[in-house]
Amino acid sequence: MPGDLRVEELAYLAGLFDGEGSLGLKRYKPKGKNAHVRIDPRVSVTNTRLELVEPFQKAFGGSVYHQKRSLVWQEVNSWEALSSNAISCIKALLPYLREPKKREAADWILYFWENRSLSTEAGYHSGRNPVPGEEMSWRLEIFNRVKILNLRGV
């Protein structure tokens, strides 16, 4: 995991992440009569070369997916990590990230996670126990801030 990586390896992964990665908050829409909105941290890296994606899975967990997109486009490989795996990645790479919007989004996601964990301890996170309205409003506000940072051309 991240503690086993040397500074040079973290800096290399951060450089790849600056160019090929994305981070954000993933919102799960409710399904079923007792389900409630859930928001989790998410990080991903996509590239046509599998050897550039696999080190992220090895270091931070998560999953690698192979996608054949069309006859015109090359097959791509995507790595994705959610929740605590995404947070481990963000914490490890943040000191080495250079892209300003990614750094700001990372800061907001860490803030979200650190404050969300307090409400998780209170039992609000599961589908059976909805997050109170004020808490959900706060979570959605952070979700929207990160979403704006991820818009292209802004």
Side-chain angles (χ1 to χ4, degrees):
M1 284 313 228
D4 300 335
L5 296 174
R6 296 187 327 260
V7 170
E8 297 84 8
E9 292 170 313
L10 288 170
Y12 173 74
L13 290 176
L16 283 174
F17 193 83
D18 265 339
E20 306 292 333
S22 69
L23 70 164
L25 293 168
K26 184 174 182 175
R27 181 170 60 176
Y28 298 87
K29 299 201 176 178
K31 292 181 183 177
K33 66 178 185 173
N34 292 325
H36 303 282
V37 173
R38 193 176 93 219
I39 300 172
D40 284 327
R42 176 186 179 275
V43 292
S44 66
V45 175
T46 300
N47 196 283
T48 57
R49 295 176 53 197
L50 183 60
E51 65 269 19
L52 296 179
V53 172
E54 286 178 327
F56 288 92
Q57 183 184 32
K58 183 178 178 188
F60 306 110
S63 301
V64 172
Y65 305 95
H66 309 283
Q67 303 166 337
K68 182 145 178 86
R69 302 194 307 184
S70 74
L71 294 174
V72 181
W73 294 60
Q74 290 184 10
E75 184 175 316
V76 296
N77 304 286
S78 297
W79 164 77
E80 178 183 65
L82 300 167
S83 298
S84 59
N85 288 342
I87 293 300
S88 293
C89 176
I90 292 169
K91 285 181 176 179
L93 300 184
L94 182 58
Y96 308 100
L97 292 177
R98 296 290 173 251
E99 205 286 301
K101 286 188 177 183
K102 279 195 177 137
R103 290 183 63 82
E104 186 176 352
D107 286 336
W108 277 111
I109 292 166
L110 291 175
Y111 176 76
F112 170 87
W113 185 258
E114 288 163 5
N115 289 284
R116 175 190 175 271
S117 65
L118 298 175
S119 62
T120 300
E121 290 171 11
Y124 304 146
H125 67 290
S126 72
R128 292 184 209 123
N129 299 315
V131 174
E134 187 176 309
E135 171 75 9
M136 183 50 75
S137 294
W138 174 83
R139 291 181 185 194
L140 289 171
E141 180 182 332
I142 303 294
F143 172 85
N144 288 323
R145 285 178 189 242
V146 172
K147 186 175 180 178
I148 288 168
L149 286 168
N150 284 330
L151 292 175
R152 292 182 184 184
V154 176

